[in-house]
């Protein structure tokens, strides 16, 4: 049985190529308060804000490697929906810190990260999408087999990438100004899809192509 968003029409390359998505597809969606914010305000995270010559960074009160990744990593991913300081900063930096130090602890947590990733992308908030794309690029190289473990979840992750994939080609979309900050959403999506293909194993390309029909392999060509 076909589910909404996976009809025959939506799968066909012609349906993806002819004409841009409707304006509503790009419209920012409201996201409710995150569990990350609730935990942060209760003081449940072993973190503090620290200033140094390079700017703000997280001061961890415990060794990151000793954290319970099943508990903390999904919560930090949940915070990727945040757009206000300090929640946005702590969530984004916390995710990167945990991916940097997680090693073998990351792979078992992948199933718990998919809904937070999907929620962040579904906000259709461009800065949030850019932040999440950079996280996804870090995630696929964070530990062995993580890229392959993400392949079964492409159906949940890639639809928004397919909608926004060509935004850097559209004039007047308000994105061009930010190319130098790596905030060009179209370029980040292309980088992310290529990272998925490179690290996703033998089934990655065909599954990316199924969800993003205009994607061309960076390995086969």
């Amino acid at each position: 049985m076909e589910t909404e968003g996976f009809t025959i029409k939506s799968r066909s390359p012609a349906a993806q190529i002819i004409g841009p998505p409707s304006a509503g597809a790009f419209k920012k969606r409201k996201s409710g308060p995150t569990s990350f914010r609730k935990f942060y305000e209760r003081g449940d995270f072993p973190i503090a804000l620290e200033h140094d010559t390079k700017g703000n960074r997280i001061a961890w009160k415990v060794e990151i490697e000793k954290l319970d990744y099943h508990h903390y990593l999904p919560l930090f991913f949940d915070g990727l929906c945040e757009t206000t300081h300090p929640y946005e900063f702590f969530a984004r930096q916390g995710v990167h810190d945990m991916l940097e130090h997680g090693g073998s602890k990351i792979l078992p947590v992948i199933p718990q990260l998919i809904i937070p990733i999907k929620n962040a992308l579904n906000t259709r908030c461009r800065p949030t999408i850019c932040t999440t794309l950079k996280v996804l690029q870090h995630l696929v190289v964070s530990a062995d087999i993580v890229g392959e473990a993400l392949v079964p979840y492409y159906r949940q992750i890639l639809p928004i990438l397919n909608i926004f994939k060509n935004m850097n080609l559209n004039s007047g979309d308000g994105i061009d100004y930010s190319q130098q900050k790596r905030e060009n959403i179209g370029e980040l999506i292309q980088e992310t899809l290529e990272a998925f293909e490179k690290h996703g194993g033998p089934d990655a390309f065909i599954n990316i192509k199924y969800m993003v029909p205009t994607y061309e392999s960076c390995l086969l060509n």
Side-chain angles (χ1 to χ4, degrees), residues 38-210:
K38 181 179 74 174
F39 275 71
Y40 176 82
E41 290 178 342
R42 284 200 326 215
D44 288 352
F45 292 125
I47 54 176
L49 188 62
E50 190 171 273
H51 304 276
D52 61 20
T53 54
K54 296 178 182 178
N56 294 336
R57 71 182 191 91
I58 290 180
W60 291 88
K61 299 175 183 176
V62 298
E63 291 180 38
I64 300 174
E65 294 84 351
K66 293 182 179 178
L67 290 171
D68 178 352
Y69 268 61
H70 278 283
H71 176 67
Y72 284 110
L73 193 58
L75 282 171
F76 276 90
F77 267 78
D78 180 66
L80 293 174
C81 288
E82 294 288 351
T83 57
T84 55
H85 190 78
Y87 313 108
E88 178 270 339
F89 168 77
F90 275 123
R92 171 172 42 86
Q93 193 58 50
V95 163
H96 284 297
D97 285 355
M98 291 189 73
L99 293 179
E100 190 72 35
H101 296 273
S104 61
K105 290 187 171 187
I106 296 169
L107 182 62
V109 189
I110 292 297
Q112 295 171 252
L113 305 181
I114 303 306
I115 289 177
I117 290 168
K118 182 182 176 183
N119 289 344
L121 294 172
N122 277 340
T123 63
R124 290 165 164 77
C125 170
R126 295 175 194 181
T128 299
I129 293 174
C130 289
T131 294
T132 307
L133 292 170
K134 293 172 190 175
V135 164
L136 287 170
Q137 291 179 26
H138 192 172
L139 179 62
V140 296
V141 298
S142 62
D144 291 341
I145 323 178
V146 165
E148 293 180 42
L150 287 171
V151 175
Y153 301 105
Y154 284 178
R155 280 182 171 231
Q156 291 163 269
I157 297 172
L158 297 189
I160 296 297
L161 275 61
N162 187 46
I163 291 172
F164 282 87
K165 182 173 182 284
N166 294 317
M167 286 214 79
N168 59 332
L169 305 179
N170 300 340
S171 59
D173 60 20
I175 291 295
D176 295 339
Y177 72 92
S178 53
Q179 283 181 337
Q180 295 176 343
K181 295 193 296 180
R182 278 192 83 231
E183 296 292 322
N184 183 303
I185 202 166
E187 289 181 1
L188 280 170
I189 287 171
Q190 182 65 26
E191 289 175 13
T192 304
L193 294 174
E194 289 179 2
F196 277 14
E197 183 185 1
K198 289 174 184 174
H199 300 282
D203 297 325
F205 172 69
I206 191 169
N207 282 281
I208 294 170
K209 187 75 173 173
Y210 183 77

